[in-house]
Amino acid sequence: MSRVYNFSAGPSMLPESVLRKAAEEMLDYQGSGQSVMEMSHRSKTYQSIIDSCSSLLREVMDIPEDYEILFLQGGASSQFAMAPLNLAAKSGSADFVITGQWAKKAFSEAKKLIKAREVASSADKTFTYIPELDPASFDPNADYFHICYNNTIYGTRFVELPDTGSVPLVADMSSCILSEPIDVRKFGMIYAGAQKNMGPAGLTVVIIRKDLIGEPREGTPTMFTYKIHAENGSMYNTPPTYAIYICKLVLEWLKNDIGGLAEMKKINEKKAAMLYDYLDSSKLFKGTVEKKYRSMMNIPFVTGSEELDAEFVKAASAAGFVNLKGHRTVGGMRASIYNAMPVEGVEKLVAFMKEFEAAHQ
Ligand SMILES: *Cc1c(COP(=O)(O)O)cnc(C)c1O
């Protein structure tokens, strides 16, 4: 068996030890005589799985007790609607910073439901930077302020949080959650699709300050109501049971094998620096975004020639470095180097890029 280095933006690599553990427990989860997939979500055994997933996430991310953790479905994309439906029940308005495709989607979905306002955008330079934000331009009466913390497609990230005063800051962290320590207290709500850094697709995690969980806007469907999910321990209906179980294994790996988020950050910084340093020294490949805003997780790069880009992606794939093709809207290449990508994977990719460069002088 040989495993490839998968640079996909998501779903993405999982730690090998997690996959092995899941395989070990596949047919008989801890003497229960069944797979986690087959188990009633109302059973004691399953309750202990979801409880430990939740308490591990609280511990690893240092989530204060006045925040609720919800395990939902529908992807981060459903949060583009759930956030306005639940958080904008007072003034009915929210501010948005447009830093890429996902931020744009969150904004256009909110516009269907509430008064959504664009505060700033980096569309003028194809989202290669994060715009300067002037708090004087923020709406002090907004129900929330939305950012996409790490821009998966363009490869930028916020380096400084906007000062929104008492307006709750809501962040889409789908592609950077668990990659480094963050101060949860600075956010009213954080959400993430799990398939980048937490586990398999099918699970969406919402971390929300408890005082923000109120009555939703009129007409909000039951399944789109945070309050319902909070009151029912994320079990109003059947939760994505197996995805939650894998997320629990990923959190155990982060805590026990890696040693927590501060350690994870060191590893991620090392991986990103290896690739960025090479891009900065290469005559063939170059990074596409402003250095200051470079993402630690998603690294887009180009050769300047579409044919050469295609040749590189093909050759890399044949050599076991897969999914390096850039997003269909951007072109070029993108290496997504989430938590589970080993240091060795990036080392080998850089070595491969150097060889490719030498052969194409
Ligand atoms: C992947 C991604 C999404 C979309 O997630 P789904 O779970 O597929 O809905 C949204 N926002 C960001 C930042 C992403 O990286």
Side-chain angles (χ1 to χ4, degrees):
M1 182 199 69
S2 89
R3 283 178 52 80
V4 293
Y5 292 110
N6 180 5
F7 293 88
S8 166
S12 46
M13 289 184 84
L14 286 164
E16 199 169 303
S17 63
V18 164
L19 296 175
R20 287 187 191 285
K21 176 97 178 163
E24 233 172 73
E25 295 183 330
M26 178 59 76
L27 292 179
D28 177 12
Y29 176 75
Q30 298 189 357
S32 65
Q34 50 192 313
S35 153
V36 173
M37 264 183 266
E38 302 167 297
M39 218 169 256
S40 163
H41 59 295
R42 308 277 176 208
S43 64
K44 259 198 193 136
T45 314
Y46 191 75
Q47 190 64 51
S48 80
I49 293 174
I50 192 169
D51 288 347
S52 40
C53 186
S54 181
S55 59
L56 277 161
L57 184 62
R58 198 175 286 283
E59 182 184 345
V60 168
M61 281 185 73
D62 186 24
I63 301 171
E65 283 305 322
D66 57 331
Y67 283 73
E68 192 79 56
I69 298 171
L70 304 176
F71 297 117
L72 308 177
Q73 301 190 60
S77 301
S78 290
Q79 295 311 309
F80 299 165
M82 277 181 90
L85 286 170
N86 288 269
L87 302 178
K90 282 184 233 121
S91 75
S93 60
D95 279 350
F96 287 77
V97 184
I98 312 301
T99 51
Q101 300 271 0
W102 297 117
K104 215 156 76 179
K105 284 189 174 166
F107 177 55
S108 35
E109 192 70 3
K111 264 202 293 196
K112 293 185 186 171
L113 302 160
I114 62 167
K115 273 177 281 160
R117 200 174 65 104
E118 177 183 313
V119 172
S121 164
S122 49
D124 60 338
K125 291 184 190 160
T126 31
F127 303 116
T128 50
Y129 69 105
I130 301 288
E132 285 289 327
L133 297 173
D134 174 11
S137 68
F138 302 172
D139 174 4
N141 298 314
D143 284 330
Y144 67 98
F145 188 105
H146 184 276
I147 61 169
C148 181
Y149 199 83
N150 181 77
N151 296 282
T152 325
I153 295 172
Y154 297 94
T156 61
R157 65 151 164 183
F158 277 78
V159 286
E160 204 181 331
L161 289 177
D163 180 5
T164 61
S166 60
V167 174
L169 182 61
V170 172
D172 179 353
M173 289 204 191
S174 295
S175 51
C176 60
I177 194 164
L178 298 177
S179 63
E180 61 180 336
I182 53 142
D183 185 355
V184 175
R185 291 162 191 82
K186 294 196 169 129
F187 300 87
M189 186 180 116
I190 292 166
Y191 64 92
Q195 68 273 23
K196 279 102 189 215
N197 244 350
M198 309 188 90
L203 168 64
T204 309
V205 173
V206 170
I207 300 162
I208 179 170
R209 222 171 62 207
K210 285 179 180 164
D211 64 291
L212 298 174
I213 309 176
E215 291 302 325
R217 292 172 68 80
E218 208 185 310
T220 299
T222 310
M223 275 297 289
F224 266 40
T225 305
Y226 292 139
K227 192 161 177 269
I228 292 286
H229 293 290
E231 283 170 357
N232 289 279
S234 298
M235 294 244 205
Y236 172 73
N237 72 326
T238 318
T241 52
Y242 198 74
I244 291 169
Y245 158 72
I246 298 289
C247 181
K248 176 189 92 102
L249 297 184
V250 168
L251 290 163
E252 284 169 351
W253 168 81
L254 259 175
K255 180 185 165 187
N256 303 325
D257 299 12
I258 299 296
L261 293 189
E263 292 305 313
M264 192 71 250
K265 180 183 188 181
K266 286 186 206 159
I267 299 170
N268 285 330
E269 279 175 339
K270 182 175 172 186
K271 287 186 290 184
M274 274 195 297
L275 193 43
Y276 282 127
D277 286 350
Y278 169 61
L279 289 174
D280 290 342
S281 71
S282 170
K283 289 196 174 60
L284 180 65
F285 298 104
K286 51 179 177 301
T288 55
V289 308
E290 272 185 35
K291 281 188 187 173
K292 181 179 174 190
Y293 303 108
R294 282 173 162 178
S295 164
M296 194 163 60
M297 298 278 101
N298 311 97
I299 306 186
F301 55 96
V302 293
T303 63
S305 144
E306 274 181 37
E307 294 85 78
L308 212 50
D309 286 352
E311 188 186 331
F312 173 77
V313 168
K314 199 171 159 206
S317 181
F321 308 102
V322 306
N323 289 318
L324 279 163
K325 196 171 184 314
H327 189 268
R328 60 185 189 279
T329 59
V330 184
M333 281 73 72
R334 173 179 49 173
S336 294
I337 51 173
Y338 297 121
N339 287 353
M341 171 60 66
V343 173
E344 175 203 82
V346 180
E347 266 163 9
K348 289 186 175 167
L349 173 66
V350 170
F352 180 80
M353 289 168 75
K354 284 181 179 165
E355 275 172 39
F356 188 89
E357 179 169 359
H360 291 80
Q361 299 235 348

